[in-house]
Amino acid sequence: KVNDTEIAYDTYANGYYYYDYTALPQGYYNITVEGIKGLDNNEMKYGIVKSKVYTNITVALIEQINQGERVVLQAIVSSPTANGIVEYTINGRNVYTNTTTNGVSYLIFKNMPVSYYVVNAKYLEDDTHYESNVNQTIFEVNMINVTLDIHVSNTFTGKNATISVETNVTSGNMTLIVGSQVFNDVEIKNGRADLNVSGLSEGNYNVTAIYSSVGFYASSRNTTSFSVYEFTVDVNDTDYGVKPVITINVPADITNPDDINVTVNGTKYNVTLDGNGTATVVVDEMPVGTYDVNVSYVGNQYPYNEVLTTLNVVKSSSYTLNVTATPAEYGENSTVTIKAP
C-alpha cells in the first residue's frame, strides 16, 4: 500500500519486489508491505518504508547592497518538509551552513567589504531528502552614494551669498568652492553644511561641493550657479539751496520704477529709470542737516534688497552775491542792493 492505496508488485527478482510508480508526484509517502508469502517459515512480514524526496533550491536574488547594510541571503527548498542544512559557498572558497525551517533558510552578513560576490547554495542530503541542485545568485556591495544638494539664491552686491548643502552624511566635513575661493573643512551638522560668503562683486558664480570618501561613504561632488547683481546707491553731499539727486545702479532689466522704493527722512519719492540700469531720484531742497535714506527693491525678478545710507545737506561752499545799484548824479545818493542765495 502507498498511503493506504493498495497496489500489486510488477516483478520479483533476486529477493526484491518491484513496482514502478512513476505517476507519483514529488512528496512524502508511507509504504506498507503486507502478506508476502514465500518467506522463511512462511512468516508474514509487515513494514513501513519512507521514501526520500528529490529537492530543488532557489536563492533569492540580491542585485546591489550598500556597504554597512545587512546582506540577507534566502534559500528556498522545494520541499516544505525540509528541515536540514543548506550549504552556501561564496566566491568559491568561503563555505557557510545554516538550518532550514519548513524549507526556508536564511544567512545574514553585516559590514561586508566592497566587492562582487558569487553565491552557490545547495540543500544537503538527509534522511528524507536527497541533495538538491546548486543554485547561484550574484550581488555587489558598494559604498554608499553621497548626495549633495546645493541651495543658493541670487543676491546683490554688498550682501552675503548664503549657501547650504543638504547631504545624507550626518556629520564630517566638505569643501566648498565659490568662484575662485576655496573653503576647506566646512562642517556638516545633522546632514547640512552652511557657508556665508561676503564681498562678491557683480557677476555669475559657480558653487562646487566636494565630499571626500570617509568610512562607508563614497566620494561625491556637485555644482550649481548663482548671480550677484549690482545694487548700489550713490548720494553725494549737496549744497544748501540745491535739490539733492540720488543715483541707484540696478540690473538693466528692471523696468518698473514701482519696484524700487526710496524714502528720504520718511518721505517717499518717485523713481526714474533710464532703461540702462540707472535709477534717479530728485529730492526737494532741504535745510542744512543729515537725513536718512532708505532704498529697497521690492519686485519679483530678484531677491528683496535694502540699502540704508544718509544724505548730507551742507552750507554752500561757493555762491554768488547779486549786487545792483541805482543810477545817481554826482552828489546824489545811490541805492545798492545785495541779494544772497
Side-chain angles (χ1 to χ4, degrees), residues 6 36 58-59 79 106 125 142 157 211 273 277 286 292 304:
E6 187 170 340
I36 301 176
T58 303
V59 182
S79 172
Y106 295 95
E125 184 174 0
N142 297 316
T157 53
Y211 180 81
L273 286 165
M286 305 181 74
D292 291 331
Y304 173 82

Side-chain angles (χ1 to χ4, degrees), residues 10-52:
D10 288 336
T11 58
Y12 174 80
N14 300 320
Y16 292 95
Y17 293 89
Y18 295 90
Y19 183 79
D20 186 5
Y21 211 143
T22 57
L24 280 175
Q26 181 173 289
Y28 179 78
Y29 299 89
N30 286 331
I31 301 175
T32 304
V33 183
E34 298 178 344
I36 301 176
K37 296 182 179 181
L39 299 177
D40 292 343
N41 302 320
N42 291 325
E43 293 179 356
M44 303 290 289
K45 297 291 183 180
Y46 303 90
I48 296 176
V49 179
K50 296 179 180 179
S51 65
K52 287 190 176 183

Side-chain angles (χ1 to χ4, degrees), residues 288-306:
V288 172
T290 299
Y291 302 93
D292 291 331
V293 177
N294 182 305
V295 180
S296 59
Y297 174 76
V298 295
N300 297 321
Q301 293 171 262
Y302 299 97
Y304 173 82
N305 192 36
E306 183 180 53

